[in-house]
Amino acid sequence: MKATFMYGAGDVRVETVPDPVIQQPTDAIVRTVLACVCGSDLHPYHSLPASGQGLSMGHELIGIVEEIGSAVTNVAKGDFVIVPFAFQDNTCVFCREGFQTSCVHGGWYGTPAAAGLQAELARIPQANGSLVVIPGGLAGVDESLLASLLTLSDVYLTGYHAAHMGKVQAGKTVTVIGDGAVGLSAVLASKQLGAERIILMGRHEVRTNLGVEFGATDVVAERGAEGIARVMELTGGEGSHIVIEAVGHLPAYEQAYGIVRPGGVISRVGVPQYEDAPIGFGSLFGKNATLTGGPAPVRAYLDAALPQVLAGTINPGKVFDRSVRLDDVASGYQAMNDRTALKVLVTP
Amino acid sequence: MKATFMYGAGDVRVETVPDPVIQQPTDAIVRTVLACVCGSDLHPYHSLPASGQGLSMGHELIGIVEEIGSAVTNVAKGDFVIVPFAFQDNTCVFCREGFQTSCVHGGWYGTPAAAGLQAELARIPQANGSLVVIPGGLAGVDESLLASLLTLSDVYLTGYHAAHMGKVQAGKTVTVIGDGAVGLSAVLASKQLGAERIILMGRHEVRTNLGVEFGATDVVAERGAEGIARVMELTGGEGSHIVIEAVGHLPAYEQAYGIVRPGGVISRVGVPQYEDAPIGFGSLFGKNATLTGGPAPVRAYLDAALPQVLAGTINPGKVFDRSVRLDDVASGYQAMNDRTALKVLVTP
């Protein structure tokens, strides 16, 4: 089969590799219907040191079950399924508490435990806990819904996780930092959770326009001190109840603690590209700000979101604005890197 | 009147200064019945650069109202009152949200806005919002309750804030880092809030014994990697739902993220003696840990805690193990610094 590898910053290649096989009784093999490129894939695209050993890429997928191991009971051959971006048994103590990304039997794609999902076929460990069946099968789902179904693998539910962890609810002001696909998803999720006011910080008009369509009530193009001043002005000097940081770079976090209201919450879902950052009296502590977030346990939210997508209540797939063939996936990375595409679908 | 000043690390002096006077119609003057030395006073006691200008010290007080400004209506001359460690109007938007330490008209004692409270008399700004009357007056309260009433000015309710922000509740495991007076108060508050298991990390046996009396179910004397390993062992490898960091130094925070459970909460009330610290994938983000806490809005919790103290339901005043006269307050600092005293009462 064909699969995607990254050999260093900017160096994405599609190669032919052996088809995956069932390794454990809990595995399943899934044939790709749609995959995509994630904003987090751009971090190694910027900084991965060149190596003769390619990094197996991709973690978002919808597809058809081709084969199941002997212990797999929740899905059957031929099922049309969503693959959450991390695998999990969905039964361990942390899964039961709603933090499936910390599953004691879980892990990540693109690692020795499981190859990446920008490929024609994928081996899914812990298939019982990791695959969610789309009712009706591929033939029963309108093609226009496929992109939105794919967002339940990661991007929309990562935005949802940010809003959920931030305790977005009616009457609250939410500020979303970042107009990438996760930020826009967080806008849509915040709207779903009843936020009264949603301020979107971003400067790419095509993207912020989609943010407005998703529910943003205000757009702030300024960054840094100017952006902070503008949000403080919009909130009557009080700051934002919830700030969703959907970028992952330090300046975005610095903006976040600049605009969070006393007693408010900063919810991060952009994978931090830093380890140390300010959390003392002058940033978080002095105003009793709470910092939360992490890798989204999308499995926890999937059962509730799937009917919303199938009913057309939400259409998070609008974040996709380009589609490439797997053979041409490198051009998808390039387009997202150049910001000529917001998020790129990959077809096998 | 006599008042306490710090002129540099280890240099605490009691001096005679003019009695405070009403400056604003919202002020009150309170005569000290009991004050005390705070663990946070030890931070400048360790590190304050020597200066010819003394720092006005103290922020915990119960006393008798001597005089009120023309706008003060909630208290009267002769009332026996508790003084929360920060002043606030208790009516602004942040006060109404329960974060009185961020009051738009609030501030701190020992600053240009208001002198410190280790003194014979104190000027209390925003008296309507900052003074809480003890029913029955000084004559109506058993003397054995005075120390516990004083803890409602700061230490017990700072511990309570930590537990409240950490969402301590029945069925949860709480680990408290630090066996100082705030840490022990957090143990007592966690017990009040129904925590199932309370692990106290501390190595001073007299203190941890009081922690056990307050409700600690386990004591861990080890620190650093050994302490982390011990708590992980006690929690079956899962970690603690809530970690209360009641120290304020970086190693205590590092211990906190080492033992917090995936999806758990670190609640800080030790004033951070650092600004930057790890919050990336390897510390907080990877396991969806939440970081919360800050200066306790004790005013928010006072009305509920006061009857508990008057009824003897809780006896947080047990954290005081020494009493000094104001003239001799320097010896109280010394004793707390040497750890021969846990927390020191100051009588005028």
Side-chain angles (χ1 to χ4, degrees):
Chain A
M1 69 158 184
K2 290 174 180 167
T4 305
F5 297 87
M6 193 184 290
Y7 281 86
D11 184 3
V12 174
R13 309 179 200 168
V14 174
E15 298 181 340
T16 299
V17 297
D19 286 359
V21 295
I22 298 284
Q23 294 179 11
Q24 301 288 332
T26 45
D27 287 350
I29 305 296
V30 172
R31 180 168 293 276
T32 299
V33 169
L34 273 180
C36 57
V37 183
C38 183
S40 68
D41 294 334
L42 295 183
H43 293 314
Y45 192 78
H46 291 143
S47 61
L48 186 70
S51 164
Q53 179 74 28
L55 201 62
S56 174
M57 298 299 298
H59 53 261
E60 296 160 283
L61 184 66
I62 55 176
I64 303 293
V65 176
E66 283 236 325
E67 197 183 346
I68 58 173
S70 59
V72 176
T73 54
N74 290 3
V75 299
K77 191 173 166 177
D79 279 348
F80 184 31
V81 292
I82 300 170
V83 183
F85 75 84
F87 58 86
Q88 61 264 297
D89 63 20
N90 208 29
T91 59
C92 86
V93 59
F94 302 131
C95 286
R96 293 196 308 273
E97 293 176 358
F99 292 96
Q100 284 90 340
T101 42
S102 292
C103 175
V104 297
H105 299 116
W108 315 97
Y109 297 101
T111 68
L117 304 184
Q118 289 160 2
E120 289 178 297
L121 290 163
R123 185 179 67 85
I124 310 299
Q126 301 294 340
N128 278 336
S130 299
L131 295 178
V132 175
V133 176
I134 301 168
L138 181 55
V141 170
D142 192 285
E143 203 182 329
S144 68
L145 296 179
L146 295 184
S148 286
L149 289 168
L150 179 60
T151 67
L152 304 185
S153 177
D154 183 347
V155 62
Y156 174 62
L157 293 180
T158 289
Y160 187 90
H161 180 59
H164 171 81
M165 293 296 280
K167 301 202 191 322
V168 171
Q169 55 185 286
K172 298 293 184 189
T173 293
V174 181
T175 301
V176 176
I177 301 175
D179 58 9
V182 171
L184 299 179
S185 295
V187 169
L188 180 58
S190 296
K191 179 74 178 173
Q192 288 297 308
L193 290 171
E196 181 176 299
R197 189 172 194 182
I198 303 171
I199 301 169
L200 174 59
M201 301 190 81
R203 50 172 62 194
H204 300 276
E205 209 175 319
V206 174
R207 300 178 180 196
T208 57
N209 285 347
L210 180 55
V212 170
E213 189 183 332
F214 276 173
T217 53
D218 304 84
V219 172
V220 170
E222 295 89 342
R223 291 182 184 184
E226 282 175 27
I228 291 171
R230 183 80 187 107
V231 172
M232 292 309 285
E233 186 188 329
L234 285 170
T235 56
E238 294 175 3
S240 191
H241 293 102
I242 297 121
V243 181
I244 293 176
E245 197 283 84
V247 177
H249 290 295
L250 196 57
Y253 171 71
E254 289 167 343
Q255 243 168 256
Y257 66 72
I259 61 179
V260 70
R261 181 189 189 83
V265 183
I266 298 169
S267 185
R268 290 183 299 167
V269 283
V271 182
Q273 301 303 303
Y274 53 86
E275 188 59 43
D276 284 21
I279 61 168
F281 203 96
S283 47
L284 297 185
F285 189 87
K287 52 183 175 179
N288 270 288
T290 293
L291 176 65
T292 192
V298 302
R299 186 65 189 83
Y301 313 121
L302 237 162
D303 296 335
L306 179 52
Q308 287 191 299
V309 166
L310 291 174
T313 313
I314 54 173
N315 193 355
K318 287 189 176 179
V319 296
F320 291 106
D321 57 355
R322 190 166 309 182
S323 180
V324 299
R325 299 296 303 266
L326 178 56
D327 280 330
D328 201 28
V329 68
S331 73
Y333 278 79
Q334 184 69 54
M336 281 177 62
N337 184 61
D338 296 345
R339 295 178 184 274
T340 59
L342 171 54
K343 191 166 172 76
V344 175
L345 285 169
V346 179
T347 58
Chain B
M1 69 157 184
K2 290 173 181 168
T4 305
F5 297 87
M6 192 184 291
Y7 281 85
D11 184 1
V12 173
R13 309 178 198 168
V14 174
E15 298 181 339
T16 299
V17 296
D19 286 359
V21 294
I22 299 284
Q23 294 178 11
Q24 301 288 332
T26 45
D27 287 350
I29 304 296
V30 172
R31 181 168 293 276
T32 299
V33 170
L34 273 181
C36 58
V37 183
C38 183
S40 68
D41 295 333
L42 295 183
H43 294 312
Y45 193 78
H46 291 144
S47 61
L48 186 69
S51 163
Q53 179 73 28
L55 200 63
S56 175
M57 298 299 298
H59 52 261
E60 296 161 284
L61 184 67
I62 55 176
I64 304 293
V65 176
E66 282 234 327
E67 197 184 346
I68 58 173
S70 58
V72 176
T73 53
N74 290 4
V75 298
K77 191 173 166 177
D79 279 348
F80 183 31
V81 292
I82 299 170
V83 183
F85 75 83
F87 57 85
Q88 61 263 297
D89 63 21
N90 208 28
T91 59
C92 85
V93 59
F94 301 131
C95 285
R96 293 195 308 273
E97 293 176 0
F99 292 97
Q100 283 90 340
T101 42
S102 291
C103 174
V104 297
H105 299 117
W108 314 97
Y109 297 102
T111 68
L117 304 183
Q118 288 161 2
E120 289 177 297
L121 291 163
R123 183 178 69 84
I124 310 298
Q126 301 294 341
N128 279 335
S130 300
L131 295 177
V132 175
V133 176
I134 301 168
L138 180 55
V141 169
D142 193 283
E143 202 182 327
S144 67
L145 297 178
L146 295 184
S148 285
L149 288 168
L150 179 60
T151 67
L152 304 185
S153 177
D154 183 347
V155 63
Y156 174 62
L157 293 181
T158 289
Y160 187 90
H161 180 60
H164 171 80
M165 293 297 280
K167 304 207 189 318
V168 171
Q169 54 185 286
K172 299 293 184 189
T173 294
V174 181
T175 302
V176 176
I177 301 175
D179 58 8
V182 171
L184 298 179
S185 296
V187 169
L188 180 58
S190 296
K191 179 74 177 171
Q192 288 298 307
L193 289 170
E196 182 176 299
R197 189 171 194 184
I198 303 171
I199 302 169
L200 174 59
M201 302 190 80
R203 50 173 63 195
H204 301 275
E205 209 176 319
V206 175
R207 300 178 179 194
T208 57
N209 285 347
L210 179 55
V212 170
E213 189 182 331
F214 277 173
T217 53
D218 303 85
V219 172
V220 171
E222 295 88 344
R223 292 182 185 182
E226 281 176 27
I228 291 171
R230 184 81 187 105
V231 172
M232 293 308 286
E233 186 187 329
L234 285 171
T235 57
E238 294 175 4
S240 191
H241 293 102
I242 297 122
V243 181
I244 294 176
E245 196 285 83
V247 177
H249 290 295
L250 196 56
Y253 171 71
E254 290 167 343
Q255 244 169 255
Y257 67 71
I259 61 178
V260 71
R261 182 189 190 85
V265 183
I266 298 170
S267 185
R268 292 183 298 168
V269 283
V271 182
Q273 302 304 300
Y274 53 86
E275 187 60 42
D276 284 20
I279 61 169
F281 203 96
S283 48
L284 298 185
F285 190 88
K287 54 182 174 179
N288 270 288
T290 293
L291 176 64
T292 191
V298 302
R299 185 65 188 82
Y301 313 121
L302 238 161
D303 297 336
L306 180 52
Q308 286 192 299
V309 166
L310 291 173
T313 313
I314 54 172
N315 193 355
K318 287 188 175 178
V319 295
F320 291 106
D321 57 355
R322 190 167 307 181
S323 180
V324 299
R325 299 297 303 265
L326 178 57
D327 280 330
D328 201 27
V329 68
S331 74
Y333 278 78
Q334 185 70 54
M336 280 176 62
N337 183 61
D338 296 346
R339 296 181 182 271
T340 59
L342 172 53
K343 191 166 172 74
V344 175
L345 285 169
V346 179
T347 58

